[in-house]
Amino acid sequence: MSTQATLEKETLKGATSNYLSRVKSGDIGSLPAVLGLISLIAVFGAMSEFFLTNRNFANLLTQAAPVMVIAMGLVFVLLLGEIDLSAGYASGVCGAVLVLLVTNEGWSWYTALGASIAVGALLGVLIGTLVSRLGIPSFVVTLAAFLAFQGVLLLLAGEGGTIPIADKTILAVENSNMTPMQGWILWAVSSAAYVLGGLSRINSRRKAGLVVELTQLWAMKTIALLIITGGAVYQLNQERGLSATNSTKGVPIVAPLILVILIAGTFLLSRTAFGRHIYAVGGNAEAARRAGINVKRVRTIAFVLCSALAAVAGMLFASRMNSISPSTGGSSTLLYAVGAAVIGGVSLFGGKGRMRDAILGGFVVAVIDNGMGLLGYGAGIQYLVTGAVLLVSAGVDAVSRRGALTN
């Protein structure tokens, strides 16, 4: 047997052993969320004739988008084993800043959005400083911020009042669609980038002599993903207007925005020193400190990123509702965002999770909310089911962590 063949055999053996050991220890990543999502879609599709329509699928995307963005911001904080209870109302405050600057001050949408994100970053600096520099538990700091931001939002919007927005660009994000051709171009470019990125990662790890994912398994998952996303684009490009004079088709504009945030967040966590530092601090903060990592700075930046993405979610709330009200970002928004991240596979104990987990978990939460609404169940039942799913996901996380410690 040649040296190359022997190397390939050993690499395959190592990858197989690594994968099986992860499964044995309970580290099965986002597999429960994937299976849960498939099961929920099958159940709701069978029980409601409206659930699997392209109109409802487009509604799912726009409905879930703000929660997904907040959840992606929370991933940075949860990876550290911390929590941010203020992210929901932070999105409301930043959304109010955006709308006030556009509506009352006449700012352009892009300068107002930049100012809104800057406000979110400043809020994150405040929270991160209190947590990392003063050592106040993040639960206490962000609970106080939750109450304070709610008060700020009330002052900005007025009790019972709303701040309307009429900017066409902002409103288009959640209410308009790409052309069918633009949707296919987006799918083709993102698919090619995903495939090339995956092959590059596998080849670089193989050249470095590191254990790589089974190529056959990666190929199967990639083909399945491309088929699913391609089918989604095809369905969204079909006519879903309610009348002949009201043509509606194409991928919602919010989809590429979510994709850009996903790619940027994934790159930051997987390809930069800061991303490695986040996982190190979340895994063992003291060991990370002794290794020379500035733990306080990592924690502060994580809260800054969380609040900055909450500001983007505030723009999405303003776009979807055409206004900002005192309840924007409140109610169950934060609970759904935290639930989305945990259900998708992010560990509450820190050190484990990926940006795409927030997307997957966001879809699970949106499917439960949407499907049960179509079946006529009230909010009480929806909360019970969502809470049960979250509890199961946290249980899987706890079992996974216990298995990893005992192996």
Side-chain angles (χ1 to χ4, degrees):
M1 184 178 294
S2 66
T3 303
Q4 180 64 28
T6 302
L7 179 61
E8 291 180 356
K9 183 177 179 180
E10 290 300 318
T11 301
L12 178 62
K13 181 179 178 181
T16 304
S17 176
N18 179 62
Y19 180 75
L20 291 176
S21 65
R22 286 172 53 202
V23 173
K24 183 179 179 181
S25 67
D27 184 10
I28 49 181
S30 56
L31 180 60
V34 172
L35 296 178
L37 181 60
I38 294 173
S39 301
L40 288 169
I41 291 174
V43 170
F44 289 134
M47 298 180 68
S48 172
E49 60 179 320
F50 302 106
F51 182 78
L52 292 178
T53 61
N54 58 358
R55 185 181 301 113
N56 189 56
F57 180 49
N59 183 54
L60 270 174
L61 284 175
T62 56
Q63 175 185 345
V67 170
M68 285 181 180
V69 173
I70 296 176
M72 283 192 282
L74 285 168
V75 168
F76 294 103
V77 175
L78 292 174
L79 283 174
L80 297 175
E82 305 286 356
I83 189 67
D84 187 351
L85 301 176
S86 67
Y89 274 118
S91 71
V93 170
C94 295
V97 170
L98 167 69
V99 174
L100 285 172
L101 291 176
V102 171
T103 303
N104 295 355
E105 304 300 326
W107 287 31
S108 61
W109 70 267
Y110 47 88
T111 53
L113 178 60
S116 172
I117 294 175
V119 169
L122 287 175
L123 297 178
V125 169
L126 174 62
I127 295 172
T129 300
L130 292 173
V131 172
S132 62
R133 302 290 176 179
L134 298 184
I136 305 174
S138 59
F139 180 88
V140 176
V141 173
T142 57
L143 178 59
F146 170 90
L147 298 172
F149 295 165
Q150 186 176 6
V152 171
L153 186 55
L154 278 169
L155 293 174
L156 292 174
E159 285 193 52
T162 59
I163 314 171
I165 184 170
D167 185 88
K168 293 182 179 179
T169 304
I170 296 295
L171 295 178
V173 177
E174 280 272 30
N175 298 288
S176 297
N177 307 291
M178 306 169 67
T179 65
M181 180 57 68
Q182 289 172 337
W184 283 120
I185 292 174
L186 174 67
W187 177 83
V189 172
S190 57
S191 298
Y194 182 82
V195 171
L196 293 176
L199 291 174
S200 174
R201 178 175 57 84
I202 290 175
N203 288 332
S204 62
R205 290 182 65 85
R206 181 176 287 122
K207 289 179 181 179
L210 301 173
V211 175
V212 299
E213 181 180 16
L214 289 171
T215 304
Q216 296 91 334
L217 178 62
W218 173 84
M220 290 173 59
K221 292 195 299 184
T222 300
I223 292 173
L225 179 63
L226 297 185
I227 291 175
I228 292 172
T229 54
V233 172
Y234 173 78
Q235 286 298 323
L236 290 170
N237 281 341
Q238 304 306 305
E239 182 61 58
R240 56 181 187 272
L242 297 176
S243 64
T245 59
N246 183 27
S247 178
T248 304
K249 55 184 173 182
V251 178
I253 290 177
V254 73
L257 173 62
I258 297 294
L259 183 61
V260 168
I261 297 174
L262 173 63
I263 293 173
T266 300
F267 177 83
L268 186 62
L269 286 176
S270 61
R271 299 298 181 91
T272 67
F274 173 74
R276 293 190 292 273
H277 292 171
I278 278 198
Y279 284 106
V281 173
N284 190 321
E286 180 59 24
R289 186 188 65 79
R290 294 186 178 185
I293 296 174
N294 190 330
V295 175
K296 294 180 180 179
R297 184 173 61 186
V298 169
R299 284 198 172 114
T300 300
I301 295 175
F303 280 101
V304 169
L305 292 172
C306 181
S307 295
L309 284 177
V312 177
M315 181 269 292
L316 297 181
F317 281 126
S319 176
R320 182 170 176 79
M321 299 182 293
N322 300 342
S323 64
I324 289 292
S325 71
S327 62
T328 300
S331 186
S332 57
T333 300
L334 175 72
L335 301 179
Y336 278 173
V338 174
V342 175
I343 289 170
V346 181
S347 175
L348 285 169
F349 302 101
K352 188 181 76 173
R354 294 163 294 186
M355 193 61 61
R356 67 189 186 196
D357 295 339
I359 302 293
L360 180 59
F363 271 119
V364 172
V365 171
V367 164
I368 294 173
D369 191 39
N370 179 274
M372 301 201 74
L374 289 175
L375 294 176
Y377 290 102
I381 300 297
Q382 294 178 30
Y383 288 151
L384 283 172
V385 173
T386 306
V389 172
L390 175 58
L391 183 61
V392 170
S393 300
V396 171
D397 179 28
V399 171
S400 171
R401 180 179 173 84
R402 185 186 306 166
L405 291 174
T406 56
N407 281 276

